[in-house]
Amino acid sequence: MRYLTWAIRLLFFLFLLAFAVKNTDPVILRFYFGLSWHEPLILLLLAFFAAGAVFGLVAALSTLFNQRREIMQLRRELKEASKAEAAAALQPPPRDVDA
């Protein structure tokens, strides 16, 4: 199974490498105020892919922090409940009073 995983990774890498070699033509990315960026197409694709990955990670961070905060709160509540349960178990049972 491990060799299959590495074979798939190697094929994916070779596919991306061939894609990069085929897309080395220079392109012009035009900005406002007459600014432009002259780079090979693959560099622009890589830059925008990396920027998208960074934006995706930043968007996921808020969810991650909220989940961690909730987990910590639930752990505190569980610890308090187990302490209360242990304290209740240590108390002697109530006596039965027969009339």
Side-chain angles (χ1 to χ4, degrees), residues 10-22:
L10 179 64
L11 286 174
F12 187 68
F13 174 75
L14 290 175
F15 175 76
L16 290 178
L17 182 66
F19 183 76
V21 169
K22 288 277 216 188

Side-chain angles (χ1 to χ4, degrees), residues 11-92:
L11 286 174
F12 187 68
F13 174 75
L14 290 175
F15 175 76
L16 290 178
L17 182 66
F19 183 76
V21 169
K22 288 277 216 188
N23 289 294
T24 57
D25 296 334
V27 295
I28 301 171
L29 184 63
R30 298 184 202 299
F31 298 103
Y32 296 106
F33 308 115
L35 298 174
S36 62
W37 191 15
H38 302 267
E39 292 296 329
L41 176 61
I42 192 63
L43 287 180
L44 290 176
L45 289 174
L46 180 63
F48 282 98
F49 175 79
V54 167
F55 285 132
L57 288 174
V58 168
L61 282 178
S62 66
T63 303
L64 178 71
F65 288 139
N66 288 337
Q67 288 176 346
R68 284 190 179 198
R69 188 176 340 113
E70 185 177 355
I71 288 171
M72 286 175 36
Q73 180 182 0
L74 290 173
R75 282 184 179 163
R76 263 186 259 129
E77 290 175 8
L78 181 62
K79 191 181 289 186
E80 290 172 4
S82 64
K83 283 182 183 179
E85 186 177 303
L90 292 176
Q91 292 179 352

